[in-house]
Amino acid sequence: MNSLPILDPATDEACCAPAGTPALGAEEAKQKALVFKALADPNRLRLLSIVKADASGESCVCDLTEPLDLGQPTVSHHLKILVEAGLLHREKRGTWAYYSVVPGALDAAAGLLATL
Amino acid sequence: MNSLPILDPATDEACCAPAGTPALGAEEAKQKALVFKALADPNRLRLLSIVKADASGESCVCDLTEPLDLGQPTVSHHLKILVEAGLLHREKRGTWAYYSVVPGALDAAAGLLATL
């Protein structure tokens, strides 16, 4: 975060005050972008939506393939990205894996935008 | 949105109630994903951060290349994506283009997560 180059504020054609060091550091930006990358896919948004809407609070992976009309490998790939981004929690029970939204995770993702 | 196949709920190995139709439709998911795609890049997040933090409320494109140590074509490419996603407003004045955060746009993006 402190590895940004020190820039010479003098320019030949100054048009306005230099913006200076970015408010958001490079490393922090990378971490935040990972969350938005996980959200940047329509199928992943729909998967999150189904899991969030489930009255039981969790969804079996066996029920997530059919509503999106996708194969299980594709759904598993998307679910893995959502788990890695900290948005979904995965629990294996018997034959199936069950997914639930990590409590507070969507609020936290929304909060990333407030603190840009 | 109504083009999802009617699924046979009977399975050999039923594990739980079928999740049914996704709460989020395909078209809506596509639109929302576009906003998150714009946010899914560290340099774009840093650009947003600089523009947002500028005391004058807007940043000249000439001041956005140096803090990120990127060339102007790269910065312009990222800015274009942010404008197209409705997050930044662009105004050309004389030689330079000036960018400002579209009022309410970041809150609206955060709101997309609340309504998944």
Side-chain angles (χ1 to χ4, degrees):
Chain A
M1 286 220 238
N2 293 319
S3 63
L4 293 166
I6 307 298
L7 301 166
D8 182 355
T11 57
D12 292 339
E13 220 176 332
C15 65
C16 44
T21 306
L24 186 64
E27 198 46 50
E28 200 185 345
K30 218 167 155 182
Q31 292 303 316
K32 290 189 176 191
L34 280 180
V35 177
F36 294 120
K37 264 180 199 157
L39 294 165
D41 179 278
N43 286 319
R44 289 201 286 277
L45 289 179
R46 297 181 86 196
L47 285 169
L48 267 179
S49 165
I50 298 172
V51 174
K52 190 185 169 200
D54 198 295
S56 72
E58 63 177 14
S59 300
C60 171
V61 66
C62 61
D63 285 325
L64 294 171
T65 53
E66 293 183 0
L68 296 194
D69 201 16
L70 294 173
Q72 177 143 353
T74 305
V75 169
S76 292
H77 164 75
H78 286 312
L79 289 169
K80 191 170 175 236
I81 292 171
L82 291 168
V83 169
E84 285 172 354
L87 296 166
L88 284 186
H89 171 74
R90 179 185 189 272
E91 192 182 328
K92 190 96 195 288
R93 288 203 304 272
T95 313
W96 303 105
Y98 293 79
Y99 292 85
S100 55
V101 176
V102 171
L106 292 175
D107 286 344
L112 295 180
L113 292 169
T115 57
L116 269 186
Chain B
M1 284 221 240
N2 294 321
S3 62
L4 294 166
I6 306 298
L7 302 165
D8 182 355
T11 57
D12 292 340
E13 220 176 333
C15 66
C16 45
T21 304
L24 186 65
E27 199 45 51
E28 200 184 345
K30 217 166 154 184
Q31 292 303 317
K32 290 189 175 191
L34 281 180
V35 177
F36 295 120
K37 263 179 200 158
L39 294 165
D41 179 279
N43 285 320
R44 289 201 287 276
L45 289 179
R46 298 181 84 196
L47 284 170
L48 267 179
S49 164
I50 298 172
V51 174
K52 190 186 169 201
D54 198 296
S56 72
E58 64 177 14
S59 300
C60 171
V61 67
C62 61
D63 284 324
L64 293 172
T65 53
E66 292 185 0
L68 297 193
D69 202 15
L70 295 173
Q72 177 144 354
T74 306
V75 168
S76 292
H77 164 76
H78 287 311
L79 289 168
K80 190 170 175 235
I81 291 172
L82 290 169
V83 168
E84 284 172 354
L87 296 166
L88 285 186
H89 170 74
R90 179 184 189 274
E91 190 181 328
K92 189 98 194 289
R93 288 204 303 274
T95 313
W96 303 105
Y98 293 79
Y99 291 86
S100 55
V101 176
V102 171
L106 292 175
D107 286 344
L112 295 180
L113 291 169
T115 58
L116 269 186

Short mmCIF file of all heavy atoms in Angstrom, two decimals, chain B residues 17-83:
data_model
loop_
_atom_site.label_atom_id
_atom_site.label_comp_id
_atom_site.label_asym_id
_atom_site.label_seq_id
_atom_site.Cartn_x
_atom_site.Cartn_y
_atom_site.Cartn_z
N ALA B 17 -36.28 -29.90 -0.81
CA ALA B 17 -37.26 -29.31 -1.73
C ALA B 17 -36.54 -28.60 -2.87
O ALA B 17 -35.53 -27.94 -2.65
CB ALA B 17 -38.12 -28.31 -0.96
N PRO B 18 -37.04 -28.75 -4.11
CA PRO B 18 -36.38 -28.07 -5.23
C PRO B 18 -36.41 -26.57 -5.04
O PRO B 18 -37.38 -26.01 -4.53
CB PRO B 18 -37.23 -28.48 -6.44
CG PRO B 18 -38.10 -29.60 -5.99
CD PRO B 18 -38.25 -29.45 -4.51
N ALA B 19 -35.34 -25.92 -5.46
CA ALA B 19 -35.24 -24.48 -5.26
C ALA B 19 -36.18 -23.72 -6.20
O ALA B 19 -36.54 -22.60 -5.94
CB ALA B 19 -33.81 -24.02 -5.49
N GLY B 20 -36.59 -24.37 -7.29
CA GLY B 20 -37.56 -23.75 -8.20
C GLY B 20 -36.97 -22.64 -9.04
O GLY B 20 -35.77 -22.57 -9.25
N THR B 21 -37.82 -21.76 -9.53
CA THR B 21 -37.41 -20.66 -10.41
C THR B 21 -36.50 -19.70 -9.65
O THR B 21 -36.80 -19.35 -8.52
CB THR B 21 -38.66 -19.91 -10.89
OG1 THR B 21 -39.53 -20.83 -11.50
CG2 THR B 21 -38.29 -18.84 -11.90
N PRO B 22 -35.40 -19.29 -10.26
CA PRO B 22 -34.52 -18.35 -9.56
C PRO B 22 -35.25 -17.05 -9.24
O PRO B 22 -36.05 -16.57 -10.03
CB PRO B 22 -33.41 -18.08 -10.58
CG PRO B 22 -33.49 -19.15 -11.59
CD PRO B 22 -34.91 -19.62 -11.60
N ALA B 23 -34.95 -16.51 -8.08
CA ALA B 23 -35.57 -15.25 -7.68
C ALA B 23 -35.15 -14.14 -8.64
O ALA B 23 -35.89 -13.21 -8.91
CB ALA B 23 -35.16 -14.90 -6.26
N LEU B 24 -33.94 -14.24 -9.16
CA LEU B 24 -33.41 -13.22 -10.07
C LEU B 24 -33.48 -13.74 -11.51
O LEU B 24 -32.91 -14.78 -11.82
CB LEU B 24 -31.96 -12.93 -9.68
CG LEU B 24 -31.25 -11.79 -10.40
CD1 LEU B 24 -31.90 -10.45 -10.09
CD2 LEU B 24 -29.78 -11.75 -9.99
N GLY B 25 -34.19 -13.00 -12.37
CA GLY B 25 -34.34 -13.43 -13.76
C GLY B 25 -33.05 -13.28 -14.54
O GLY B 25 -32.14 -12.55 -14.14
N ALA B 26 -32.99 -13.98 -15.68
CA ALA B 26 -31.77 -14.01 -16.49
C ALA B 26 -31.38 -12.62 -16.98
O ALA B 26 -30.21 -12.23 -16.92
CB ALA B 26 -31.96 -14.95 -17.68
N GLU B 27 -32.35 -11.86 -17.47
CA GLU B 27 -32.06 -10.55 -18.04
C GLU B 27 -31.61 -9.56 -16.97
O GLU B 27 -30.64 -8.80 -17.16
CB GLU B 27 -33.30 -10.02 -18.78
CG GLU B 27 -33.01 -8.92 -19.77
CD GLU B 27 -31.79 -9.17 -20.66
OE1 GLU B 27 -31.67 -10.24 -21.28
OE2 GLU B 27 -30.93 -8.28 -20.70
N GLU B 28 -32.31 -9.61 -15.84
CA GLU B 28 -31.97 -8.72 -14.72
C GLU B 28 -30.57 -9.04 -14.20
O GLU B 28 -29.78 -8.13 -13.88
CB GLU B 28 -33.01 -8.91 -13.61
CG GLU B 28 -33.09 -7.77 -12.61
CD GLU B 28 -34.06 -8.06 -11.47
OE1 GLU B 28 -34.88 -9.01 -11.60
OE2 GLU B 28 -34.00 -7.36 -10.47
N ALA B 29 -30.26 -10.33 -14.14
CA ALA B 29 -28.95 -10.76 -13.66
C ALA B 29 -27.85 -10.24 -14.59
O ALA B 29 -26.78 -9.82 -14.14
CB ALA B 29 -28.89 -12.28 -13.57
N LYS B 30 -28.14 -10.25 -15.89
CA LYS B 30 -27.18 -9.78 -16.89
C LYS B 30 -26.89 -8.28 -16.68
O LYS B 30 -25.74 -7.84 -16.75
CB LYS B 30 -27.79 -9.99 -18.28
CG LYS B 30 -26.82 -10.40 -19.34
CD LYS B 30 -27.60 -10.90 -20.55
CE LYS B 30 -26.85 -10.75 -21.83
NZ LYS B 30 -27.67 -11.17 -22.99
N GLN B 31 -27.94 -7.51 -16.45
CA GLN B 31 -27.78 -6.07 -16.23
C GLN B 31 -26.98 -5.78 -14.96
O GLN B 31 -26.10 -4.92 -14.94
CB GLN B 31 -29.16 -5.40 -16.12
CG GLN B 31 -29.96 -5.40 -17.41
CD GLN B 31 -29.22 -4.72 -18.56
OE1 GLN B 31 -28.62 -3.68 -18.38
NE2 GLN B 31 -29.23 -5.34 -19.72
N LYS B 32 -27.32 -6.50 -13.89
CA LYS B 32 -26.61 -6.29 -12.63
C LYS B 32 -25.15 -6.68 -12.76
O LYS B 32 -24.26 -6.00 -12.24
CB LYS B 32 -27.27 -7.10 -11.51
CG LYS B 32 -28.64 -6.59 -11.09
CD LYS B 32 -29.14 -7.30 -9.83
CE LYS B 32 -30.46 -6.69 -9.37
NZ LYS B 32 -30.87 -7.14 -8.03
N ALA B 33 -24.90 -7.80 -13.47
CA ALA B 33 -23.53 -8.28 -13.62
C ALA B 33 -22.65 -7.25 -14.34
O ALA B 33 -21.45 -7.14 -14.05
CB ALA B 33 -23.50 -9.62 -14.36
N LEU B 34 -23.26 -6.48 -15.25
CA LEU B 34 -22.50 -5.46 -15.99
C LEU B 34 -21.90 -4.42 -15.04
O LEU B 34 -20.78 -3.96 -15.23
CB LEU B 34 -23.40 -4.76 -17.02
CG LEU B 34 -23.64 -5.52 -18.31
CD1 LEU B 34 -24.54 -4.70 -19.23
CD2 LEU B 34 -22.32 -5.83 -19.01
N VAL B 35 -22.68 -4.03 -14.04
CA VAL B 35 -22.18 -3.04 -13.06
C VAL B 35 -21.02 -3.65 -12.27
O VAL B 35 -19.98 -3.01 -12.08
CB VAL B 35 -23.32 -2.60 -12.11
CG1 VAL B 35 -22.79 -1.63 -11.06
CG2 VAL B 35 -24.45 -1.96 -12.89
N PHE B 36 -21.20 -4.91 -11.84
CA PHE B 36 -20.12 -5.54 -11.05
C PHE B 36 -18.89 -5.81 -11.91
O PHE B 36 -17.77 -5.80 -11.41
CB PHE B 36 -20.64 -6.80 -10.36
CG PHE B 36 -21.69 -6.51 -9.33
CD1 PHE B 36 -22.96 -7.05 -9.43
CD2 PHE B 36 -21.40 -5.67 -8.26
CE1 PHE B 36 -23.94 -6.75 -8.48
CE2 PHE B 36 -22.37 -5.36 -7.31
CZ PHE B 36 -23.64 -5.91 -7.42
N LYS B 37 -19.10 -6.04 -13.21
CA LYS B 37 -17.95 -6.22 -14.11
C LYS B 37 -17.13 -4.93 -14.16
O LYS B 37 -15.90 -4.97 -14.18
CB LYS B 37 -18.43 -6.57 -15.53
CG LYS B 37 -18.42 -8.07 -15.79
CD LYS B 37 -18.92 -8.40 -17.19
CE LYS B 37 -19.36 -9.85 -17.22
NZ LYS B 37 -20.28 -10.20 -18.28
N ALA B 38 -17.83 -3.81 -14.19
CA ALA B 38 -17.12 -2.53 -14.21
C ALA B 38 -16.31 -2.33 -12.92
O ALA B 38 -15.24 -1.72 -12.93
CB ALA B 38 -18.12 -1.38 -14.39
N LEU B 39 -16.82 -2.89 -11.83
CA LEU B 39 -16.15 -2.73 -10.53
C LEU B 39 -15.10 -3.82 -10.28
O LEU B 39 -14.33 -3.73 -9.31
CB LEU B 39 -17.20 -2.79 -9.40
CG LEU B 39 -18.22 -1.66 -9.37
CD1 LEU B 39 -19.38 -2.02 -8.46
CD2 LEU B 39 -17.56 -0.37 -8.88
N ALA B 40 -15.05 -4.81 -11.16
CA ALA B 40 -14.22 -6.00 -10.91
C ALA B 40 -12.79 -5.84 -11.40
O ALA B 40 -12.20 -6.78 -11.91
CB ALA B 40 -14.87 -7.22 -11.55
N ASP B 41 -12.24 -4.66 -11.25
CA ASP B 41 -10.86 -4.42 -11.68
C ASP B 41 -10.20 -3.44 -10.71
O ASP B 41 -10.75 -2.36 -10.45
CB ASP B 41 -10.87 -3.82 -13.11
CG ASP B 41 -9.46 -3.53 -13.59
OD1 ASP B 41 -8.93 -2.47 -13.22
OD2 ASP B 41 -8.90 -4.37 -14.32
N PRO B 42 -9.03 -3.81 -10.17
CA PRO B 42 -8.39 -2.95 -9.17
C PRO B 42 -8.14 -1.53 -9.67
O PRO B 42 -8.36 -0.57 -8.92
CB PRO B 42 -7.06 -3.66 -8.89
CG PRO B 42 -7.25 -5.07 -9.33
CD PRO B 42 -8.26 -5.03 -10.44
N ASN B 43 -7.71 -1.38 -10.91
CA ASN B 43 -7.43 -0.04 -11.41
C ASN B 43 -8.70 0.79 -11.55
O ASN B 43 -8.69 2.00 -11.30
CB ASN B 43 -6.69 -0.11 -12.76
CG ASN B 43 -5.24 -0.51 -12.58
OD1 ASN B 43 -4.58 -0.05 -11.64
ND2 ASN B 43 -4.75 -1.37 -13.44
N ARG B 44 -9.79 0.15 -11.92
CA ARG B 44 -11.05 0.91 -12.02
C ARG B 44 -11.54 1.33 -10.62
O ARG B 44 -12.05 2.43 -10.45
CB ARG B 44 -12.11 0.09 -12.76
CG ARG B 44 -11.80 -0.03 -14.24
CD ARG B 44 -13.01 -0.38 -15.07
NE ARG B 44 -13.46 -1.74 -14.95
CZ ARG B 44 -12.96 -2.76 -15.64
NH1 ARG B 44 -11.97 -2.57 -16.50
NH2 ARG B 44 -13.44 -3.97 -15.49
N LEU B 45 -11.34 0.45 -9.64
CA LEU B 45 -11.73 0.82 -8.27
C LEU B 45 -10.89 2.00 -7.78
O LEU B 45 -11.39 2.92 -7.13
CB LEU B 45 -11.55 -0.36 -7.32
CG LEU B 45 -12.55 -1.52 -7.49
CD1 LEU B 45 -12.24 -2.63 -6.49
CD2 LEU B 45 -13.99 -1.03 -7.27
N ARG B 46 -9.60 1.99 -8.14
CA ARG B 46 -8.73 3.09 -7.71
C ARG B 46 -9.10 4.39 -8.43
O ARG B 46 -9.07 5.47 -7.83
CB ARG B 46 -7.26 2.73 -7.95
CG ARG B 46 -6.85 1.50 -7.13
CD ARG B 46 -5.39 1.17 -7.35
NE ARG B 46 -4.54 1.97 -6.48
CZ ARG B 46 -3.23 2.12 -6.66
NH1 ARG B 46 -2.64 1.55 -7.68
NH2 ARG B 46 -2.53 2.85 -5.82
N LEU B 47 -9.46 4.28 -9.71
CA LEU B 47 -9.89 5.48 -10.44
C LEU B 47 -11.15 6.06 -9.80
O LEU B 47 -11.23 7.27 -9.56
CB LEU B 47 -10.16 5.13 -11.91
CG LEU B 47 -8.93 4.93 -12.79
CD1 LEU B 47 -9.31 4.34 -14.14
CD2 LEU B 47 -8.18 6.25 -12.97
N LEU B 48 -12.11 5.19 -9.50
CA LEU B 48 -13.34 5.66 -8.84
C LEU B 48 -13.00 6.34 -7.52
O LEU B 48 -13.56 7.39 -7.17
CB LEU B 48 -14.25 4.46 -8.53
CG LEU B 48 -15.31 4.07 -9.54
CD1 LEU B 48 -16.06 2.85 -9.04
CD2 LEU B 48 -16.29 5.22 -9.78
N SER B 49 -12.08 5.71 -6.79
CA SER B 49 -11.68 6.23 -5.49
C SER B 49 -11.07 7.63 -5.60
O SER B 49 -11.38 8.52 -4.81
CB SER B 49 -10.69 5.24 -4.88
OG SER B 49 -9.99 5.81 -3.81
N ILE B 50 -10.21 7.83 -6.60
CA ILE B 50 -9.57 9.14 -6.78
C ILE B 50 -10.62 10.19 -7.14
O ILE B 50 -10.65 11.28 -6.58
CB ILE B 50 -8.51 9.10 -7.91
CG1 ILE B 50 -7.39 8.13 -7.56
CG2 ILE B 50 -7.93 10.49 -8.15
CD1 ILE B 50 -6.42 7.89 -8.72
N VAL B 51 -11.49 9.84 -8.08
CA VAL B 51 -12.51 10.80 -8.54
C VAL B 51 -13.43 11.16 -7.38
O VAL B 51 -13.76 12.33 -7.15
CB VAL B 51 -13.31 10.23 -9.73
CG1 VAL B 51 -14.44 11.16 -10.11
CG2 VAL B 51 -12.38 10.01 -10.93
N LYS B 52 -13.81 10.13 -6.61
CA LYS B 52 -14.71 10.35 -5.48
C LYS B 52 -14.07 11.24 -4.42
O LYS B 52 -14.73 12.06 -3.78
CB LYS B 52 -15.07 8.98 -4.87
CG LYS B 52 -16.18 9.01 -3.84
CD LYS B 52 -16.36 7.65 -3.20
CE LYS B 52 -17.27 7.73 -2.00
NZ LYS B 52 -17.09 6.59 -1.09
N ALA B 53 -12.74 11.05 -4.22
CA ALA B 53 -12.06 11.77 -3.14
C ALA B 53 -11.71 13.21 -3.52
O ALA B 53 -11.38 14.01 -2.65
CB ALA B 53 -10.78 11.02 -2.77
N ASP B 54 -11.79 13.54 -4.80
CA ASP B 54 -11.38 14.88 -5.23
C ASP B 54 -12.31 15.94 -4.64
O ASP B 54 -13.53 15.88 -4.80
CB ASP B 54 -11.38 14.97 -6.76
CG ASP B 54 -10.55 16.15 -7.24
OD1 ASP B 54 -10.92 17.31 -6.93
OD2 ASP B 54 -9.52 15.91 -7.88
N ALA B 55 -11.68 16.89 -3.96
CA ALA B 55 -12.45 17.92 -3.25
C ALA B 55 -13.33 18.73 -4.20
O ALA B 55 -14.41 19.20 -3.82
CB ALA B 55 -11.50 18.85 -2.50
N SER B 56 -12.89 18.87 -5.46
CA SER B 56 -13.66 19.66 -6.41
C SER B 56 -14.85 18.89 -6.98
O SER B 56 -15.68 19.45 -7.68
CB SER B 56 -12.76 20.11 -7.56
OG SER B 56 -12.46 18.99 -8.39
N GLY B 57 -14.92 17.58 -6.68
CA GLY B 57 -16.04 16.78 -7.17
C GLY B 57 -15.81 16.19 -8.54
O GLY B 57 -16.61 15.39 -9.02
N GLU B 58 -14.70 16.57 -9.17
CA GLU B 58 -14.38 16.00 -10.48
C GLU B 58 -12.87 15.93 -10.67
O GLU B 58 -12.12 16.64 -9.98
CB GLU B 58 -15.03 16.79 -11.61
CG GLU B 58 -14.53 18.21 -11.71
CD GLU B 58 -15.14 18.96 -12.90
OE1 GLU B 58 -16.13 18.50 -13.48
OE2 GLU B 58 -14.58 20.03 -13.23
N SER B 59 -12.45 15.05 -11.55
CA SER B 59 -11.02 14.89 -11.82
C SER B 59 -10.78 14.99 -13.31
O SER B 59 -11.53 14.43 -14.11
CB SER B 59 -10.53 13.52 -11.34
OG SER B 59 -10.74 13.38 -9.96
N CYS B 60 -9.71 15.70 -13.64
CA CYS B 60 -9.28 15.78 -15.03
C CYS B 60 -8.58 14.48 -15.40
O CYS B 60 -7.83 13.93 -14.59
CB CYS B 60 -8.31 16.95 -15.17
SG CYS B 60 -7.50 17.01 -16.77
N VAL B 61 -8.84 14.00 -16.60
CA VAL B 61 -8.20 12.76 -17.02
C VAL B 61 -6.67 12.90 -16.98
O VAL B 61 -5.96 11.93 -16.72
CB VAL B 61 -8.68 12.34 -18.44
CG1 VAL B 61 -8.22 13.32 -19.50
CG2 VAL B 61 -8.23 10.94 -18.78
N CYS B 62 -6.19 14.13 -17.13
CA CYS B 62 -4.74 14.36 -17.11
C CYS B 62 -4.14 14.10 -15.75
O CYS B 62 -2.93 13.91 -15.62
CB CYS B 62 -4.43 15.80 -17.54
SG CYS B 62 -5.17 17.04 -16.45
N ASP B 63 -4.98 14.08 -14.71
CA ASP B 63 -4.48 13.81 -13.35
C ASP B 63 -4.71 12.36 -12.93
O ASP B 63 -4.38 11.99 -11.81
CB ASP B 63 -5.20 14.72 -12.35
CG ASP B 63 -4.66 16.13 -12.42
OD1 ASP B 63 -3.44 16.27 -12.65
OD2 ASP B 63 -5.45 17.06 -12.26
N LEU B 64 -5.31 11.58 -13.79
CA LEU B 64 -5.65 10.21 -13.40
C LEU B 64 -4.62 9.20 -13.90
O LEU B 64 -4.59 8.07 -13.43
CB LEU B 64 -7.05 9.84 -13.93
CG LEU B 64 -8.19 10.63 -13.28
CD1 LEU B 64 -9.50 10.34 -14.00
CD2 LEU B 64 -8.32 10.31 -11.80
N THR B 65 -3.79 9.62 -14.85
CA THR B 65 -2.81 8.66 -15.37
C THR B 65 -1.64 8.47 -14.40
O THR B 65 -1.21 7.35 -14.18
CB THR B 65 -2.25 9.14 -16.73
OG1 THR B 65 -1.77 10.47 -16.58
CG2 THR B 65 -3.31 9.11 -17.80
N GLU B 66 -1.18 9.57 -13.81
CA GLU B 66 0.03 9.48 -12.99
C GLU B 66 -0.15 8.71 -11.68
O GLU B 66 0.70 7.87 -11.36
CB GLU B 66 0.59 10.88 -12.73
CG GLU B 66 1.12 11.51 -14.01
CD GLU B 66 1.80 12.84 -13.77
OE1 GLU B 66 1.86 13.28 -12.60
OE2 GLU B 66 2.27 13.43 -14.74
N PRO B 67 -1.20 8.95 -10.92
CA PRO B 67 -1.29 8.24 -9.62
C PRO B 67 -1.32 6.72 -9.79
O PRO B 67 -0.87 6.00 -8.91
CB PRO B 67 -2.61 8.75 -9.02
CG PRO B 67 -2.89 10.02 -9.72
CD PRO B 67 -2.32 9.89 -11.09
N LEU B 68 -1.84 6.24 -10.88
CA LEU B 68 -1.91 4.79 -11.07
C LEU B 68 -0.73 4.25 -11.86
O LEU B 68 -0.60 3.04 -12.02
CB LEU B 68 -3.21 4.41 -11.79
CG LEU B 68 -4.52 4.71 -11.08
CD1 LEU B 68 -5.65 3.98 -11.78
CD2 LEU B 68 -4.46 4.28 -9.63
N ASP B 69 0.13 5.16 -12.35
CA ASP B 69 1.29 4.75 -13.13
C ASP B 69 0.86 3.92 -14.35
O ASP B 69 1.43 2.88 -14.66
CB ASP B 69 2.25 3.94 -12.25
CG ASP B 69 3.66 3.95 -12.82
OD1 ASP B 69 3.94 4.78 -13.70
OD2 ASP B 69 4.47 3.10 -12.40
N LEU B 70 -0.19 4.40 -15.01
CA LEU B 70 -0.69 3.73 -16.22
C LEU B 70 -0.66 4.72 -17.37
O LEU B 70 -0.71 5.94 -17.15
CB LEU B 70 -2.14 3.27 -16.03
CG LEU B 70 -2.42 2.19 -14.99
CD1 LEU B 70 -3.92 1.99 -14.84
CD2 LEU B 70 -1.76 0.88 -15.39
N GLY B 71 -0.60 4.21 -18.58
CA GLY B 71 -0.64 5.08 -19.75
C GLY B 71 -2.03 5.64 -19.97
O GLY B 71 -3.02 5.07 -19.50
N GLN B 72 -2.12 6.76 -20.69
CA GLN B 72 -3.42 7.39 -20.91
C GLN B 72 -4.40 6.48 -21.67
O GLN B 72 -5.59 6.46 -21.32
CB GLN B 72 -3.27 8.74 -21.61
CG GLN B 72 -4.63 9.37 -21.92
CD GLN B 72 -4.65 10.88 -21.78
OE1 GLN B 72 -3.68 11.50 -21.34
NE2 GLN B 72 -5.76 11.47 -22.15
N PRO B 73 -3.96 5.69 -22.67
CA PRO B 73 -4.93 4.82 -23.35
C PRO B 73 -5.57 3.81 -22.39
O PRO B 73 -6.77 3.55 -22.46
CB PRO B 73 -4.09 4.11 -24.42
CG PRO B 73 -2.92 5.00 -24.66
CD PRO B 73 -2.64 5.66 -23.34
N THR B 74 -4.74 3.28 -21.47
CA THR B 74 -5.27 2.31 -20.50
C THR B 74 -6.26 2.98 -19.56
O THR B 74 -7.35 2.45 -19.29
CB THR B 74 -4.11 1.69 -19.68
OG1 THR B 74 -3.16 1.16 -20.59
CG2 THR B 74 -4.60 0.60 -18.76
N VAL B 75 -5.89 4.16 -19.07
CA VAL B 75 -6.78 4.88 -18.17
C VAL B 75 -8.08 5.23 -18.88
O VAL B 75 -9.18 5.08 -18.32
CB VAL B 75 -6.08 6.14 -17.61
CG1 VAL B 75 -7.07 7.06 -16.90
CG2 VAL B 75 -4.96 5.74 -16.65
N SER B 76 -7.97 5.69 -20.13
CA SER B 76 -9.17 6.06 -20.89
C SER B 76 -10.08 4.85 -21.09
O SER B 76 -11.31 4.96 -21.02
CB SER B 76 -8.79 6.65 -22.24
OG SER B 76 -8.16 7.90 -22.05
N HIS B 77 -9.48 3.70 -21.34
CA HIS B 77 -10.25 2.46 -21.51
C HIS B 77 -11.04 2.15 -20.24
O HIS B 77 -12.24 1.86 -20.27
CB HIS B 77 -9.27 1.31 -21.84
CG HIS B 77 -9.85 -0.05 -21.68
ND1 HIS B 77 -10.72 -0.60 -22.59
CD2 HIS B 77 -9.69 -0.98 -20.70
CE1 HIS B 77 -11.07 -1.81 -22.18
NE2 HIS B 77 -10.46 -2.07 -21.04
N HIS B 78 -10.36 2.23 -19.08
CA HIS B 78 -11.04 1.94 -17.82
C HIS B 78 -12.14 2.97 -17.52
O HIS B 78 -13.23 2.62 -17.06
CB HIS B 78 -10.03 1.93 -16.67
CG HIS B 78 -9.14 0.71 -16.66
ND1 HIS B 78 -9.65 -0.57 -16.77
CD2 HIS B 78 -7.80 0.57 -16.54
CE1 HIS B 78 -8.64 -1.44 -16.71
NE2 HIS B 78 -7.52 -0.78 -16.59
N LEU B 79 -11.83 4.24 -17.81
CA LEU B 79 -12.82 5.29 -17.55
C LEU B 79 -14.07 5.09 -18.42
O LEU B 79 -15.20 5.29 -17.96
CB LEU B 79 -12.21 6.68 -17.82
CG LEU B 79 -11.17 7.14 -16.79
CD1 LEU B 79 -10.42 8.37 -17.30
CD2 LEU B 79 -11.82 7.45 -15.44
N LYS B 80 -13.84 4.65 -19.66
CA LYS B 80 -14.97 4.42 -20.58
C LYS B 80 -15.89 3.34 -20.01
O LYS B 80 -17.13 3.47 -20.07
CB LYS B 80 -14.41 3.99 -21.94
CG LYS B 80 -15.45 3.95 -23.04
CD LYS B 80 -14.81 3.76 -24.41
CE LYS B 80 -15.90 3.61 -25.46
NZ LYS B 80 -15.78 2.41 -26.25
N ILE B 81 -15.31 2.28 -19.47
CA ILE B 81 -16.12 1.19 -18.89
C ILE B 81 -16.92 1.71 -17.70
O ILE B 81 -18.10 1.37 -17.53
CB ILE B 81 -15.20 0.02 -18.49
CG1 ILE B 81 -14.63 -0.64 -19.75
CG2 ILE B 81 -15.95 -1.01 -17.64
CD1 ILE B 81 -13.56 -1.68 -19.50
N LEU B 82 -16.30 2.56 -16.89
CA LEU B 82 -17.00 3.12 -15.72
C LEU B 82 -18.13 4.06 -16.15
O LEU B 82 -19.19 4.10 -15.51
CB LEU B 82 -16.00 3.84 -14.81
CG LEU B 82 -15.01 2.92 -14.07
CD1 LEU B 82 -13.90 3.72 -13.41
CD2 LEU B 82 -15.73 2.06 -13.03
N VAL B 83 -17.90 4.80 -17.24
CA VAL B 83 -18.95 5.69 -17.75
C VAL B 83 -20.10 4.84 -18.31
O VAL B 83 -21.28 5.09 -18.03
CB VAL B 83 -18.39 6.64 -18.84
CG1 VAL B 83 -19.52 7.35 -19.58
CG2 VAL B 83 -17.43 7.66 -18.22
#
